[in-house]
Amino acid sequence: MGVQSIFDAVISLDSDKVVELVKEEIGKGTDVSSILEQGLIAAMDEVGKRFSEGQFFVPEMLLAAQAMKAGIDVLRPYLIRSDSKSKKGTVVIGTVKGDLHDIGKNLVAMMLEGAGFEVHDLGVDVDTDTFVNAAKEKNADIVAMSALLTTTMPTMEEVIKAIKENQLKCKTMVGGAPVTQAFASRIGADGYSEDAPGAVEKARELLGL
Amino acid sequence: MIKQFANLLTQDEVVNVHEASLEILENVGLLVRNEKARQIFKRHGCQVDSQTAIVKIPRRIVEECRKSFVPRYTFTARDPKYDKVLPDDSPVIVTASSAPNIIDPKTGEERRATSTDIANIAHLINELPGYDVFSISTLAEDAPEGQFSLSRFYPALKNCLKPVRSNTPNMHDLKQVLELGALIAGSEEAYRERPFINHHYCPVVSPLTMDVESTEAVIYLVEQGLPVYGTIVPNAGMTAPMSLLGTLVLGNAEFLALATLIQLIRPGAPLIYAVLSTVADMRSGAYAPGAIETAILQVAHTQMARFYNVPSGGYIGLTNAHVNDAQSGYETGMLTTAALLAGADLFNMGGLLSSLMAFDYAKAVIDNEIALMLKQLKCGIPFSKEEMCIDLIAEVGPGGTYMDKVHTLKNMRKVALFPKVATRETRGRWEEDGRKDAHQRALQEAINILKKENPAVFPPELDSKIRAHFPGLVPGEAVFND
Ligand code: B12
């Protein structure tokens, strides 16, 4: 019953309820990994399924992710490192220098977050140094860049070069309406996707998750 | 003539939207990232927070600026014969612009567009009678370093006598393009006399933000007394409230903020209340300019423009379709019809697929036909005693025919529009003719035009002068080999 109601609360997008129920279960001594696996993560899998079937819309996906995150925050002190499947990797994301388009980038950031990645959004008009420094500072697994202008796409290549020069071990991902797989390959990006759900899949693939 | 425009708001509601917008400008304000713009607002008594860059505009200042709004906006052409004035020449039909890609007319595949494509498109638009203004449809992938905008404006101006419109990404490009204008005009003075490059920007990033570069360009052009206008682009669910009215209020506030800035710089500077107000498709977050809500919002913004007595319009009639198919036609057709009936003046509608990502020749030809239909619709029903034909109706009486009447002979070439793309053949003849659909017929029409010599090109002396001035310039020749 208990873990199932956490699952249900995530599906009904109720963060407060999730927090309350997770605390209750911890108090009852329920196995934390079952709260995590069968409660929170299973719920997000269900949300993902409903989203790809077109039943759930973007904001529902986001709110469910927030509810899940709220639950995980309560759970975190009780989780042993090994079973913290909750954190999938760290992503630094931004729209490149000279570009102000952020609708698509925001969607990608939010979906990655929903899928359990730790996301650091650097905003728009982000220069190479800012990307590189953030990647170092946050110990990023992936640096993700968005560009909607053909004039700003070349700066993605600069960022990728700088990451390599700095010998950072992170992977790179690029996207945005005018960006193509061919362009991504040419500039040496590790990943490309046409849309936000694809970006999540790609990120998982790059990190072997 | 349309005698009663379609309205979705009552006059009280219009006033309410205006009031709500004033409240937002006064209490919430805008994030103004451009330093010069902040200075201008500050100098005129707006509250500017130097830490946050938030500018709050008191209603008194907006209302004062409203007094200098003017009702007309002119698109100047290289050849004065093609000048267009809003609202007198409405509906003014414009191509949609700046797509990175083109559907190759030979392969049917999408690829990056080049300066030669722009030259060909300019030639086509010059010839298609439905278009009034050529907003440069694509980018030029082959642009030499430092000539991004020049590689668009040169082939466009060289091959089209109609007013040319587009944007530039930075001040370097803007000044280079103005230099081109002066060369073509013969001198800077002559250019200022007839500034035939019509600048457009999106300086407002919804919600409530003014950017650096586009705002800089707008300020410069307004100071110089050169033509410029902005489009306001809120997106419900993403950058605006998920409410048609909320998005209208926000977009209206953003229009007022930009209009106020422009009037503070130069009172009486012409404006267009131009929008691309959309609702995001919340199933995926996709941009949906072809959605019917875009038309609903355009109608309402047009009512607001009428309240302010400024010309209205925007990017209306775009499509999300990736090929020039039925969706492309019904989205462009329905959205523009609604806007026309509401009294919109400016229609940035022609030629692009995939929500502004790719140009298609056949789409441009079909949109030309839609444009002609809109113009016909705008003419409405000329009303007079004579036009009622009472005597003629009596003469023919019940059961007769009008086919052989002098009256019919006199009127038959002007009462109805004769479409070039739409078929009116019998099925049998259409089958004999190869069962061509609208897209194929339109593409053929484009090719027929492109294969002809372009009469609009620069005189050779002028062309050499320009080419000498800008070494490395793209050829800019309209060439189309079948
Ligand atoms: C909305 C919009 C704007 C808004 C932006 C609002 C905002 N907050 O973002 C405003 C009005 C401010 C704007 C301004 C400008 N714009 Co604009 N804009 C658009 C438009 C119509 C839609 C973009 C959008 O939001 N799409 C919706 C989202 C959901 O899709 P998306 O961004 O593609 O993202 C998806 C995928 O690409 C992918 N993705 C995105 N990022 C990433 C990152 C990674 C890592 C991955 C894996 C995937 C991924 O996933 C996303 C979700 O599925 C596009 C046309 C288009 N169809 O793309 C033009 C467009 C991009 N703009 C264009 C232009 C010309 C401009 C301006 C120069 C206009 C001007 N003169 O002022 C300015 C430039 C400002 C600047 N310096 O950046 C041109 C581009 C031309 C070029 N040079 O390449 C376009 C193509 C339109 C056109 N034909 O004119 N624009």
Side-chain angles (χ1 to χ4, degrees):
Chain A
M1 165 72 234
V3 171
Q4 179 63 37
S5 53
I6 293 175
F7 179 99
D8 294 341
V10 172
I11 304 278
S12 37
L13 321 174
D14 190 340
S15 286
D16 293 346
K17 191 80 188 249
V18 170
V19 168
E20 184 189 309
L21 289 171
V22 170
K23 282 183 182 158
E24 210 177 290
E25 287 306 308
I26 293 171
K28 277 200 257 167
T30 309
D31 175 22
V32 285
S33 67
S34 91
I35 299 179
L36 181 67
E37 304 287 336
Q38 281 116 54
L40 299 170
I41 292 180
M44 270 321 280
D45 289 345
E46 174 63 21
V47 169
K49 191 171 138 251
R50 290 191 189 185
F51 179 75
S52 42
E53 283 166 359
Q55 264 186 68
F56 264 24
F57 290 7
V58 173
E60 285 161 324
M61 176 96 167
L62 300 178
L63 290 175
Q66 282 172 16
M68 177 196 71
K69 254 184 92 187
I72 287 178
D73 286 345
V74 178
L75 217 49
R76 188 155 284 131
Y78 302 89
L79 291 171
I80 327 158
R81 271 225 156 266
S82 64
D83 69 359
S84 81
K85 220 176 162 186
S86 59
K87 187 170 166 256
K88 295 208 164 136
T90 302
V91 182
V92 159
I93 191 170
T95 299
V96 298
K97 186 74 196 152
D99 207 318
L100 304 176
H101 295 84
D102 65 359
I103 296 175
K105 182 266 294 165
N106 292 346
L107 268 168
V108 172
M110 291 192 270
M111 291 229 182
L112 284 169
E113 211 164 5
F117 289 87
E118 182 181 320
V119 177
H120 298 277
D121 187 347
L122 307 178
V124 296
D125 199 14
V126 180
D127 61 22
T128 304
D129 287 350
T130 311
F131 271 115
V132 171
N133 292 338
K136 280 186 197 159
E137 210 173 283
K138 307 292 178 197
N139 202 6
D141 300 301
I142 296 177
V143 170
M145 290 162 269
S146 183
L148 266 283
L149 300 172
T150 55
T151 44
T152 60
M153 280 167 55
T155 62
M156 293 176 148
E157 189 172 5
E158 283 172 30
V159 176
I160 291 173
K161 269 197 195 134
I163 285 172
K164 286 184 180 148
E165 274 160 21
N166 280 270
Q167 291 172 349
L168 303 183
K169 276 201 289 296
C170 51
K171 303 276 185 190
T172 52
M173 257 169 60
V174 295
V179 179
T180 58
Q181 179 61 60
F183 174 81
S185 307
R186 202 173 68 232
I187 64 167
D190 300 306
Y192 159 80
S193 155
E194 209 180 42
D195 59 18
V200 173
E201 257 167 58
K202 201 59 182 183
R204 284 187 179 135
E205 189 189 310
L206 289 178
L207 302 185
L209 298 166
Chain B
M1 218 179 95
I2 299 174
K3 281 140 200 170
Q4 174 107 53
F5 291 126
N7 288 329
L8 292 173
L9 301 170
T10 66
Q11 206 49 33
D12 274 356
E13 289 168 345
V14 165
V15 173
N16 268 310
V17 170
H18 173 62
E19 289 294 325
S21 305
L22 290 178
E23 205 177 303
I24 288 167
L25 294 177
E26 189 160 60
N27 299 330
V28 184
L30 280 93
L31 171 62
V32 179
R33 297 175 72 216
N34 183 292
E35 164 74 29
K36 258 187 220 158
R38 287 202 299 275
Q39 292 304 329
I40 294 165
F41 279 122
K42 190 168 179 177
R43 216 179 316 127
H44 289 86
C46 298
Q47 193 188 319
V48 178
D49 186 321
S50 54
Q51 290 294 306
T52 59
I54 297 286
V55 173
K56 293 183 177 172
I57 314 175
R59 65 177 300 143
R60 163 182 59 80
I61 294 176
V62 180
E63 291 294 359
E64 197 53 41
C65 285
R66 264 184 70 194
K67 291 184 191 150
S68 59
F69 285 7
V70 293
R72 280 193 172 66
Y73 189 98
T74 304
F75 282 99
T76 305
R78 191 145 71 80
D79 179 343
K81 193 169 79 194
Y82 292 105
D83 284 4
K84 290 291 167 205
V85 180
L86 300 177
D88 312 50
D89 297 322
S90 302
V92 168
I93 308 293
V94 188
T95 42
S97 58
S98 306
N101 302 332
I102 185 167
I103 308 296
D104 188 282
K106 285 158 214 159
T107 64
E109 293 299 318
E110 187 188 44
R111 59 164 171 81
R112 285 284 196 254
T114 66
S115 59
T116 302
D117 292 320
I118 294 177
N120 284 328
I121 299 167
H123 175 196
L124 180 73
I125 300 305
N126 195 60
E127 294 297 312
L128 291 173
Y131 291 107
D132 300 301
V133 175
F134 176 40
S135 185
I136 309 173
S137 304
T138 69
L139 308 174
E141 178 77 349
D142 57 334
E145 180 92 46
Q147 296 190 351
F148 175 80
S149 300
L150 208 53
S151 307
R152 306 180 61 221
F153 281 88
Y154 169 68
L157 287 159
K158 183 170 168 175
N159 293 285
C160 186
L161 295 170
K162 295 176 181 177
V164 168
R165 187 213 87 139
S166 201
N167 59 68
T168 50
N170 51 48
M171 289 305 287
H172 163 269
D173 277 32
L174 173 56
K175 293 199 172 153
Q176 210 175 35
V177 160
L178 289 171
E179 226 172 279
L180 173 66
L183 276 174
I184 298 170
S187 70
E188 208 186 299
E189 296 71 60
Y191 178 75
R192 281 175 186 278
E193 211 39 46
R194 293 192 46 76
F196 46 77
I197 298 173
N198 302 273
H199 302 274
H200 166 264
Y201 295 92
C202 301
V204 181
V205 184
S206 302
L208 299 170
T209 303
M210 269 191 197
D211 84 339
V212 180
E213 295 285 352
S214 295
T215 307
E216 187 79 15
V218 170
I219 294 173
Y220 177 80
L221 289 163
V222 175
E223 280 172 352
Q224 296 292 314
L226 293 169
V228 62
Y229 77 94
T231 300
I232 304 294
V233 190
N235 184 218
M238 292 285 168
T239 65
M242 185 40 86
S243 146
L244 295 174
L245 188 54
T247 297
L248 175 67
V249 167
L250 180 73
N252 190 64
E254 293 173 340
F255 162 73
L256 284 177
L258 179 60
T260 299
L261 176 66
I262 291 173
Q263 297 305 307
L264 289 177
I265 300 168
R266 188 160 56 89
L271 302 166
I272 302 175
Y273 188 137
V275 295
L276 170 51
S277 262
T278 52
V279 177
D281 186 324
M282 295 313 268
R283 291 173 297 185
S284 64
Y287 207 73
I292 194 66
E293 293 76 21
T294 310
I296 298 173
L297 286 162
Q298 178 67 68
V299 170
H301 281 294
T302 293
Q303 278 193 261
M304 296 311 300
R306 200 153 37 243
F307 176 70
Y308 299 129
N309 196 20
V310 290
S312 74
Y315 283 85
I316 186 71
L318 300 175
T319 181
N320 284 82
H322 299 295
V323 286
N324 183 29
D325 61 0
Q327 179 188 348
S328 161
Y330 67 70
E331 288 184 341
T332 300
M334 286 193 69
L335 271 58
T336 51
T337 303
L340 184 99
L341 292 173
D345 303 302
L346 180 79
F347 293 67
N348 249 143
M349 58 176 262
L352 298 194
L353 295 171
S354 305
S355 91
L356 291 158
M357 288 301 291
F359 176 85
D360 184 285
Y361 281 106
K363 165 84 174 143
V365 171
I366 289 184
D367 289 347
N368 172 71
E369 193 150 295
I370 294 176
L372 294 172
M373 290 166 80
L374 292 170
K375 289 177 180 189
Q376 181 80 344
L377 178 57
K378 178 78 187 252
C379 293
I381 298 187
F383 203 91
S384 67
K385 187 86 201 248
E386 203 191 327
E387 285 286 342
M388 288 178 127
C389 305
I390 296 171
D391 294 344
L392 183 66
I393 292 169
E395 183 196 321
V396 175
T401 179
Y402 292 87
M403 200 162 68
D404 55 0
K405 292 289 167 278
V406 177
H407 180 269
T408 305
L409 216 65
K410 256 174 53 196
N411 287 288
M412 65 187 186
R413 286 197 167 76
K414 56 184 190 202
V415 167
L417 175 75
F418 300 104
K420 279 198 166 170
V421 178
T423 182
R424 287 170 183 178
E425 293 289 8
T426 59
R427 186 169 188 97
R429 285 195 187 282
W430 171 77
E431 282 183 356
E432 263 167 41
D433 204 29
R435 309 170 69 107
K436 292 196 197 84
D437 66 11
H439 173 78
Q440 292 166 311
R441 292 192 295 271
L443 188 59
Q444 193 53 54
E445 174 68 13
I447 292 170
N448 292 347
I449 292 174
L450 292 172
K451 281 202 303 210
K452 286 188 205 137
E453 192 87 7
N454 183 9
V457 290
F458 287 152
E461 321 79 67
L462 172 59
D463 204 40
S464 340
K465 200 169 83 185
I466 295 169
R467 303 196 61 81
H469 190 90
F470 297 111
L473 195 57
V474 294
E477 302 281 348
V479 276
F480 193 86
N481 310 312
D482 206 0

